Amino acid sequence: MPSANASRRSQEKPREIMDAAEDYAKERYGVSSMIQSQEKPDRVLVRISDLTVQKAGEVVWVRARVHTSRAKGKQCFLVLRQQQFNVQALVAVGDHASKQMVKFAANINKESIVDVEGVVRKVNQKIGSCTQQDVELHVQKIYVISSAEPRLPLQLDDAVRPEVEGEEEGRATVNQDTRLDNRVIDLRTSTSQAIFRLQSGICHPFRETLTNKGFVEIQTPKIISAASEGGANVFTVSYFKNNAYLAQSPQLYKQMCICADFEKVFCIGPVFRAEDSNTHRHLTEFVGLDIEMAFNYHYHEVVEEIADTLVQIFKGLQKRFQTEIQTVNKQFPCEPFKFLEPTLRLEYCEALAMLREAGIEMGDEEDLSTPNEKLLGRLVKEKYDTDFYILDKYPLAVRPFYTMPDPRNPKQSNSYDMFMRGEEILSGAQRIHDPQLVTERALHHGIDLEKIKAYIDSFRFGAPPHAGGGIGLERVTMLFLGLHNVRQTSMFPRDPKRLTP
Amino acid sequence: MPSANASRRSQEKPREIMDAAEDYAKERYGVSSMIQSQEKPDRVLVRISDLTVQKAGEVVWVRARVHTSRAKGKQCFLVLRQQQFNVQALVAVGDHASKQMVKFAANINKESIVDVEGVVRKVNQKIGSCTQQDVELHVQKIYVISSAEPRLPLQLDDAVRPEVEGEEEGRATVNQDTRLDNRVIDLRTSTSQAIFRLQSGICHPFRETLTNKGFVEIQTPKIISAASEGGANVFTVSYFKNNAYLAQSPQLYKQMCICADFEKVFCIGPVFRAEDSNTHRHLTEFVGLDIEMAFNYHYHEVVEEIADTLVQIFKGLQKRFQTEIQTVNKQFPCEPFKFLEPTLRLEYCEALAMLREAGIEMGDEEDLSTPNEKLLGRLVKEKYDTDFYILDKYPLAVRPFYTMPDPRNPKQSNSYDMFMRGEEILSGAQRIHDPQLVTERALHHGIDLEKIKAYIDSFRFGAPPHAGGGIGLERVTMLFLGLHNVRQTSMFPRDPKRLTP
C-alpha cells in the first residue's frame, strides 16, 4: 500500500483494517481453528438428504464438502456434497453476506469441508444437477473446517463419466491407475460410494442367512506353518527365526472345525495367493466368504444351502440397493442380474455337450478355459435365462487331492463350481473325510505326506462327511454389477504390481 | 480256531459262519461303507436335544459320537453326544439285538460317529450324567459312520474337569499344550463349544449395533508396502521380488475411508504383531474389531458410540448365552460380568489419584504398567461396582504420533483405553486430521516422513475430524468369561512359540 503522504497515511487506517471495518459480515465466515474437541456446542448438523421442502424457511447447519463453486457478480453458487447427496447453496451480497464473504466463499478450494448456516428455500425450477432438486440453501454463515489443497489429482466429475460419453464428447475420464493412486478421492465418487455400500450389503445377508440356518461364525489363522495346498503360489512370512506362510484359504481350519463338531461354520476373511496373474479378475489378496458343513448322506445338501444363501444375497441386493445399482449403471450400463429358484444345476458332461454343440473341441477330463467358461455362460443364459448356475461333477483329474471321487464314476468327482455371468465365483466339493483315502489321493498327486500330516490326522478321531466352498467377495460384487475389473470392487486392491496405497 | 478233528471240522460249519447264522441281528449293525453321496435316503436324523418325553415311544434315527460305552452282561450302555447335548442309549440282547450286536456296540471306539435307530423310552429315574435326563434310546440298529482310532490323545472328561477338583481328587486334567496340539478334540468339549459359540455371539451384535447406527462394513488389506506404525514388531512378507509387511492394524485404511466420506466404518479381521511376548494376553495374530468415525465437534461423540456398542454386546451375551456362560463357569468359576449405563468414564489424572492413594508411586506422564492396570481395575470395581470402564485423557507422551493433543493441556491427549476386569481391551483416540500438525508430531517422534507419506497425504484434500479404536476379540471373550489365557479363546492361537495346528 504505497503512499507518498505520511501525514495522510497516519490519519488513515491501513487498508486491511478499513476493509475489515467495512465488512459487516466478518464474523460470519472464515477458516475455523482445527477441531481438537475444544468444546461441545449443542448445534445440530442436518443431513443434506433431509433438506426437502418440508424444511423450507428453517435455518439449518450443514457440514459438507464444497463439490463445485461458481461466482457470478455479487453471488456465489456452491454445490455442497455429503456422500451421494448434494444441494445447491447461494451466498449473495445482502443482509447476511458482504462482498468479501462472497469472495471468500468463491475462493474455497473444491473438496474442502465447510460448516454452513443457511435458510432452506423452495426453488421454482428444479435443480437438475443436484439430488436435492426442490430446495436450495441461502447461506448466512460459512466456515472452512478442513481445507483441500488447490490442485486435485483427479476431478470427481471426470471420475464418474461413462467412458463412451467421455470419448464421444472429447471430455476427460480417469484411468484406473490414477484412480487407485488417489483412492481417497476416487472413493468419494457416487459410483464408488454405491459399489462399497452394496458390497457391505453382501456380507450382511451372507452372515444373516447362515446364522439363521444354524451356522457358527469362526475365525481362522492366516499365518500357517506349512503351505496347505501343495506349496505353489504361497507367500512366505519371516516368523521370528523361522519361515511361515500366508493361508491360501481357510479350508484346513474350516474342516478341523467340522471334525471338532461345530457342524456348520462360516468365515469372512482375507485369502492370499502369490500368483503372478495380471488379469481383470485376479488379486493377490482378496476377501473369502467361506462355508463348510457336515451333511447327512449327500453333498447336495450342502450345495443347496450355499446356492440358497447366494440367492438370498441377490434378492437382498435387488431389494435394498436399487439406488446404488442405478448409480453404478449410470457410469457402467448393464443388464439386471438374473437368477432362478431353485438354482440351475448342470452336470459337467451336460456343459461339455453344450460347448461341443457350439463347436468347441474338448476332452472329457479337460478343465474349462476362461474363454470356454464365458461362452458356456452365454449358452446357459440363452437356454435357461439365468446369470447364475451351478456346474456339478467336475472331472476328478482337474480337482485337488482332497476332493471326494464320485462312487458311481471314478473319473468324476463330487465337486462343483458356481458361476455368475459366466465367471467362477465359488469352487467347492465334498471333502474326503477318511484318513486312508485322503492319504492315497495325496500320494497319487505326488504330495509330501509329511507336510499335510496335521490335515490327515484331523480325520483320525471320527470325522463326519462334509462339503463346502469359498466365494470371492470382490468377484460377486463385480459380476452382480456387471463391472469389468475386480480392482473396482476392492477398496485397496493388491496385485503383483500394486501394493499401495 | 484250532481243531484236531478234520472230519468233524468238515461236517461242521466254520465257527464264523455258524455265529453269523445264529446272529439274527446281523443286518442291524456293522461298519457302514464310507459316505460318498452314493444315495439320498429320505431318512430323517433327529437332534439329540429334541429327544424328550414328548417323543416317548417313537422310533428315531440319530447321528452322534460315542461319548462313552460300558458293557454289563447282556447290555451295553452308550452315551451318545452331539455338540453339547448327550443321551443314554441301551443295546440289550432281545428281539432287536443279538449278543454279537451288543459286543459290537461295546467295542466301538470312543469318539466314533454312529447312526443309531432306536425307540425313545421315558426313564423312571433321571439320568444325571446326560443333558437328556428323562429319556433313553433303546437301540434297534447301529452302524459306524466314521471310526475313531482306539487311543485318544486326550480324554474329553479330563478336559472339562475344573483344575482344583482334579488336584483334590488326584484325577487327571489336561494341560494347555496337549489341548492345543490336539485342538480338534479339545474343541469338542462342552467348554470349548460354549466359548466359541459365545465368541460368535460377540461379532454378531458388534456388526448389528454398528450397522443400525449407520456404519459401513469395510475390508482392508493385510499386505502393506510400509510398516504403518514405525516399523517395530512387524512381520515381513516376500512379495514377488520385493518385501512387504503384515498390517499391525487397519488404522490407516479406516482413516482413509473416513477421508473418502464413508463417515462411519467398521471392520473385523486379523491383526498381526511380531512381538516376542509370551504372556497370557498376547498373540502374534488376533482378531480386531475396528471402528472409525467422523464426529462433529468432540471425540466423546465417538467414545459414546463405542461404549454403547460394547454395552449392547454385553447385554446380548447375558441375554442369549446364559447356557454357555454357565457351562464355562462349571469348569472356570467366575463372578458375572458387571457394567454400568452409561459407561463409567474416568480421566487419567483421576486414576493416578486412586493409585497414589493406594500407595503406588507414579509420575504424571507415566504409562500404566500391567500390574497397575489390574490394581486400578480392582479399585474401580470396589468404588463403582463395574468391570467395564473408560480411561480418558492419557498423557500425550505415551501415545502414538497421530494422537490429537488436548487443546487445554499440552501434556494430555484426546485418547482413551477401555478396560474389562482390569485389562485393556480397546485403545483409541481422536486422530490428527491436519497434515501440518501430524507432520510435526511425526518429526517429534523421530519417524521417517517418507515412510508415512501416503498416510499424511490422505489428509491433504479435506479431512473431517475423526476418532476410533480397535478391540481385541479374544480378550473380550476371555475377560467377559473370566478366563485367564487368551489361548483359550483363540481357536488356533499363534504366539512366538506356536504356529500349529
Side-chain angles (χ1 to χ4, degrees):
Chain A
M1 196 187 64
S3 170
N5 187 332
S7 70
R8 197 178 148 207
R9 193 163 64 221
S10 65
Q11 287 166 4
E12 284 181 8
K13 289 174 186 166
R15 176 81 174 266
E16 296 92 329
I17 296 177
M18 204 178 68
D19 275 9
E22 283 171 11
D23 186 359
Y24 53 89
K26 66 178 175 175
E27 300 296 329
R28 297 182 165 273
Y29 66 94
V31 176
S32 283
S33 60
M34 192 194 332
I35 293 179
Q36 278 188 275
S37 310
Q38 295 91 329
E39 48 188 12
K40 297 183 184 184
D42 50 10
R43 182 184 295 167
V44 174
L45 296 176
V46 173
R47 303 294 299 175
I48 285 183
S49 54
D50 291 335
L51 297 179
T52 58
V53 287
Q54 280 76 47
K55 284 216 157 43
E58 287 183 29
V59 176
V60 297
W61 277 97
V62 168
R63 176 170 297 171
R65 287 193 192 273
V66 173
H67 185 64
T68 60
S69 75
R70 183 167 50 92
K72 197 178 164 184
K74 292 185 170 177
Q75 296 185 323
C76 174
F77 288 93
L78 303 170
V79 173
L80 300 178
R81 191 185 81 236
Q82 213 171 52
Q83 299 183 327
Q84 66 272 49
F85 301 100
N86 49 30
V87 68
Q88 181 166 282
L90 172 63
V91 196
V93 174
D95 286 352
H96 293 291
S98 58
K99 60 182 182 186
Q100 294 93 331
M101 179 168 160
V102 172
K103 192 177 166 193
F104 174 83
N107 284 332
I108 297 172
N109 293 331
K110 280 198 283 186
E111 294 300 305
S112 297
I113 298 173
V114 292
D115 274 7
V116 166
E117 187 198 63
V119 184
V120 183
R121 294 282 181 217
K122 189 169 181 303
V123 291
N124 295 325
Q125 205 169 359
K126 275 187 190 292
I127 302 167
S129 57
C130 288
T131 58
Q132 309 313 105
Q133 307 199 325
D134 302 318
V135 295
E136 64 180 7
L137 211 51
H138 287 214
V139 176
Q140 300 182 342
K141 293 179 185 167
I142 182 165
Y143 303 101
V144 173
I145 294 299
S146 174
S147 277
E149 294 193 351
R151 219 182 113 77
L152 293 172
L154 61 91
Q155 301 299 320
L156 271 78
D157 286 341
D158 295 344
V160 298
R161 187 165 291 130
E163 301 236 328
V164 175
E165 191 182 301
E167 282 161 23
E168 278 173 3
E169 304 178 13
R171 291 164 80 183
T173 57
V174 183
N175 77 37
Q176 187 173 269
D177 276 330
T178 305
R179 288 179 188 278
L180 295 180
D181 288 341
N182 301 283
R183 195 60 158 159
V184 164
I185 299 174
D186 185 48
L187 287 174
R188 293 178 191 168
T189 64
S190 51
T191 304
S192 294
Q193 291 277 324
I195 288 172
F196 291 102
R197 273 165 206 284
L198 182 134
Q199 185 164 79
S200 167
I202 291 173
C203 295
H204 187 72
F206 176 79
R207 288 185 297 247
E208 207 69 5
T209 307
L210 292 171
T211 302
N212 291 341
K213 288 174 187 287
F215 281 71
V216 174
E217 181 174 9
I218 58 168
Q219 309 290 340
T220 68
K222 304 308 165 198
I223 304 182
I224 56 174
S225 61
S228 50
E229 292 180 35
N233 303 336
V234 64
F235 287 113
T236 306
V237 182
S238 299
Y239 196 78
F240 301 99
K241 285 173 183 144
N242 295 303
N243 276 342
Y245 306 93
L246 290 182
Q248 292 165 286
S249 91
Q251 190 179 323
L252 166 56
Y253 295 96
K254 288 191 300 177
Q255 290 192 256
M256 286 173 79
C257 287
I258 298 301
C259 295
D261 289 349
F262 285 94
E263 292 187 2
K264 300 171 174 189
V265 298
F266 71 89
C267 55
I268 296 184
V271 170
F272 306 94
R273 302 278 164 91
E275 284 179 79
D276 199 358
S277 301
N278 296 281
T279 77
H280 78 287
R281 62 182 194 148
H282 285 91
L283 294 171
T284 52
E285 178 181 344
F286 63 90
V287 177
L289 310 184
D290 270 274
I291 293 175
E292 201 73 25
M293 175 181 152
F295 62 80
N296 294 338
Y297 297 104
H298 202 290
Y299 74 97
H300 282 174
E301 298 165 31
V302 180
V303 173
E304 281 156 22
E305 291 283 41
I306 297 175
D308 178 61
T309 302
L310 281 161
V311 165
Q312 296 309 321
I313 291 172
F314 301 148
K315 284 183 169 177
L317 293 179
Q318 292 186 338
K319 190 174 164 192
R320 298 189 301 125
F321 291 90
Q322 267 313 320
T323 313
E324 283 77 5
I325 293 168
Q326 284 164 20
T327 301
V328 177
N329 281 350
K330 268 186 221 161
Q331 184 170 6
F332 301 102
C334 173
E335 294 288 305
F337 187 80
K338 286 195 168 180
F339 55 93
L340 304 174
E341 285 184 272
T343 302
L344 175 67
R345 186 175 61 78
L346 293 175
E347 296 212 350
Y348 199 81
C349 55
E350 296 174 79
L352 277 186
M354 287 171 77
L355 285 168
R356 283 168 182 160
E357 200 174 316
I360 302 294
E361 288 181 19
M362 269 183 70
D364 285 347
E365 292 183 73
E366 198 179 318
D367 206 355
L368 287 174
S369 65
T370 306
N372 284 347
E373 279 183 0
K374 287 208 174 171
L375 172 58
L376 182 60
R378 287 195 296 276
L379 298 173
V380 169
K381 180 75 183 270
E382 273 169 32
K383 188 166 175 185
Y384 300 98
D385 199 28
T386 179
D387 290 308
F388 175 58
Y389 71 99
I390 305 161
L391 197 53
D392 195 16
K393 296 275 169 210
Y394 270 69
L396 183 62
V398 304
R399 304 298 274 198
F401 73 94
Y402 49 70
T403 309
M404 183 64 89
D406 181 345
R408 286 171 303 180
N409 180 345
K411 294 197 164 180
Q412 284 186 3
S413 65
N414 292 350
S415 69
Y416 42 87
D417 278 7
M418 297 191 188
F419 291 86
M420 287 172 66
R421 300 195 201 258
E423 297 194 41
E424 180 248 311
I425 55 137
L426 171 139
S427 200
Q430 177 179 355
R431 329 293 188 179
I432 302 174
H433 60 285
D434 178 80
Q436 185 58 39
L437 181 58
V438 78
T439 303
E440 284 167 25
R441 295 294 306 157
L443 285 173
H444 179 83
H445 278 253
I447 289 169
D448 181 355
L449 289 182
E450 198 46 49
K451 287 200 172 152
I452 56 165
K453 185 173 180 301
Y455 183 72
I456 295 176
D457 286 349
S458 315
F459 307 119
R460 295 198 190 281
F461 304 100
H466 61 285
I471 300 167
L473 175 63
E474 294 85 352
R475 285 194 187 175
V476 173
T477 315
M478 169 178 79
L479 295 164
F480 184 82
L481 289 169
L483 299 173
H484 300 295
N485 196 310
V486 76
R487 288 161 190 79
Q488 292 174 289
T489 58
S490 171
M491 271 197 179
F492 304 100
R494 297 292 181 250
D495 65 33
K497 292 173 182 156
R498 178 173 290 279
L499 256 181
T500 54
Chain B
M1 194 186 63
S3 167
N5 187 329
S7 69
R8 195 176 151 213
R9 194 162 64 222
S10 67
Q11 286 164 3
E12 285 180 9
K13 289 175 186 165
R15 177 79 176 266
E16 295 91 329
I17 296 176
M18 204 179 70
D19 275 10
E22 284 172 9
D23 185 359
Y24 52 90
K26 67 178 175 176
E27 299 296 328
R28 296 182 165 274
Y29 66 94
V31 176
S32 282
S33 60
M34 191 194 330
I35 293 179
Q36 279 189 274
S37 310
Q38 295 91 328
E39 50 188 12
K40 298 183 183 184
D42 50 10
R43 182 185 294 168
V44 175
L45 296 175
V46 173
R47 304 293 300 175
I48 285 182
S49 54
D50 291 335
L51 296 179
T52 57
V53 287
Q54 280 76 45
K55 284 218 159 39
E58 286 182 33
V59 176
V60 297
W61 278 97
V62 168
R63 176 170 297 171
R65 286 193 192 273
V66 173
H67 185 63
T68 60
S69 75
R70 183 167 49 93
K72 196 177 165 186
K74 292 184 171 177
Q75 297 185 322
C76 173
F77 288 93
L78 303 170
V79 173
L80 301 178
R81 189 185 84 236
Q82 214 171 53
Q83 299 181 325
Q84 65 271 51
F85 301 100
N86 49 29
V87 68
Q88 179 164 280
L90 172 64
V91 196
V93 174
D95 285 353
H96 293 291
S98 58
K99 62 182 181 185
Q100 293 93 330
M101 180 167 158
V102 172
K103 192 177 167 193
F104 173 84
N107 283 331
I108 298 172
N109 292 332
K110 279 200 283 187
E111 293 300 304
S112 297
I113 298 173
V114 292
D115 274 7
V116 166
E117 186 197 63
V119 184
V120 182
R121 294 283 182 217
K122 189 171 182 303
V123 291
N124 295 326
Q125 207 170 355
K126 276 187 190 292
I127 302 167
S129 58
C130 287
T131 59
Q132 309 313 106
Q133 306 200 327
D134 301 319
V135 294
E136 64 181 6
L137 211 53
H138 288 214
V139 177
Q140 299 181 342
K141 293 179 184 164
I142 182 164
Y143 304 100
V144 172
I145 295 299
S146 175
S147 277
E149 293 191 352
R151 217 182 115 77
L152 294 172
L154 61 89
Q155 302 299 320
L156 271 78
D157 286 341
D158 295 344
V160 296
R161 188 166 291 129
E163 301 236 328
V164 175
E165 191 183 301
E167 282 161 22
E168 277 172 3
E169 303 178 14
R171 289 163 82 183
T173 57
V174 183
N175 77 37
Q176 187 173 269
D177 275 330
T178 305
R179 288 178 188 278
L180 295 179
D181 288 341
N182 301 283
R183 196 61 159 157
V184 165
I185 300 173
D186 184 48
L187 287 174
R188 292 179 191 166
T189 64
S190 51
T191 304
S192 293
Q193 291 277 324
I195 288 172
F196 291 101
R197 275 166 204 284
L198 181 132
Q199 186 164 78
S200 167
I202 291 172
C203 295
H204 186 72
F206 175 80
R207 288 184 298 245
E208 206 69 4
T209 306
L210 292 172
T211 302
N212 290 342
K213 289 174 188 284
F215 281 72
V216 175
E217 180 175 9
I218 58 168
Q219 309 289 340
T220 69
K222 304 308 166 197
I223 304 182
I224 57 174
S225 61
S228 50
E229 292 180 34
N233 303 333
V234 64
F235 287 114
T236 306
V237 182
S238 298
Y239 196 78
F240 302 99
K241 286 174 182 144
N242 295 303
N243 276 342
Y245 306 93
L246 290 182
Q248 292 164 288
S249 92
Q251 191 180 323
L252 167 55
Y253 295 95
K254 287 190 301 177
Q255 290 192 255
M256 286 172 77
C257 288
I258 297 303
C259 295
D261 290 349
F262 285 94
E263 293 188 1
K264 300 172 172 188
V265 298
F266 72 88
C267 56
I268 296 184
V271 170
F272 305 94
R273 303 276 165 93
E275 284 180 79
D276 199 358
S277 302
N278 294 281
T279 77
H280 78 286
R281 62 182 192 144
H282 284 92
L283 294 170
T284 53
E285 177 181 345
F286 63 90
V287 177
L289 309 184
D290 270 274
I291 292 176
E292 201 74 25
M293 176 181 153
F295 62 80
N296 295 339
Y297 297 103
H298 203 291
Y299 74 96
H300 282 174
E301 299 165 30
V302 180
V303 173
E304 280 156 23
E305 291 284 40
I306 298 176
D308 178 60
T309 302
L310 281 160
V311 165
Q312 296 310 320
I313 290 172
F314 301 149
K315 284 183 170 177
L317 292 178
Q318 291 186 339
K319 189 174 166 193
R320 298 190 299 126
F321 291 90
Q322 268 311 320
T323 312
E324 283 78 6
I325 293 168
Q326 284 163 22
T327 301
V328 177
N329 280 350
K330 267 186 221 162
Q331 184 170 5
F332 302 101
C334 173
E335 294 288 306
F337 187 80
K338 285 195 168 179
F339 54 94
L340 304 174
E341 284 184 274
T343 302
L344 175 67
R345 187 175 61 77
L346 293 175
E347 296 212 351
Y348 199 81
C349 54
E350 296 175 79
L352 277 185
M354 286 171 77
L355 284 168
R356 282 168 182 161
E357 200 174 317
I360 302 294
E361 288 181 20
M362 268 183 72
D364 285 347
E365 292 183 72
E366 199 178 317
D367 206 356
L368 287 173
S369 66
T370 305
N372 284 347
E373 279 184 0
K374 287 207 174 170
L375 171 58
L376 182 61
R378 287 195 296 276
L379 298 173
V380 169
K381 180 76 183 270
E382 273 169 31
K383 187 165 174 185
Y384 300 97
D385 198 28
T386 178
D387 290 307
F388 174 58
Y389 73 98
I390 305 161
L391 196 53
D392 195 15
K393 297 274 169 211
Y394 269 69
L396 183 62
V398 304
R399 306 296 274 197
F401 74 94
Y402 48 72
T403 309
M404 182 64 89
D406 181 344
R408 287 172 303 182
N409 180 345
K411 294 197 166 181
Q412 283 186 5
S413 65
N414 293 349
S415 68
Y416 42 87
D417 278 7
M418 298 191 188
F419 292 86
M420 288 172 66
R421 299 195 203 260
E423 296 194 41
E424 180 248 311
I425 56 137
L426 170 139
S427 198
Q430 177 179 355
R431 329 293 188 179
I432 301 173
H433 60 283
D434 178 81
Q436 186 59 38
L437 180 58
V438 78
T439 303
E440 283 167 26
R441 294 295 306 157
L443 285 172
H444 179 84
H445 278 253
I447 289 169
D448 181 354
L449 290 182
E450 199 46 48
K451 286 199 174 153
I452 57 166
K453 185 173 180 301
Y455 183 71
I456 295 176
D457 286 349
S458 314
F459 307 119
R460 296 197 188 280
F461 304 100
H466 60 286
I471 300 167
L473 175 63
E474 295 85 352
R475 285 193 187 174
V476 173
T477 315
M478 168 178 80
L479 294 164
F480 183 83
L481 288 170
L483 299 174
H484 300 294
N485 196 310
V486 76
R487 289 162 188 78
Q488 291 174 289
T489 58
S490 172
M491 271 197 179
F492 304 99
R494 297 291 181 253
D495 65 33
K497 292 174 182 156
R498 177 173 291 279
L499 257 182
T500 55

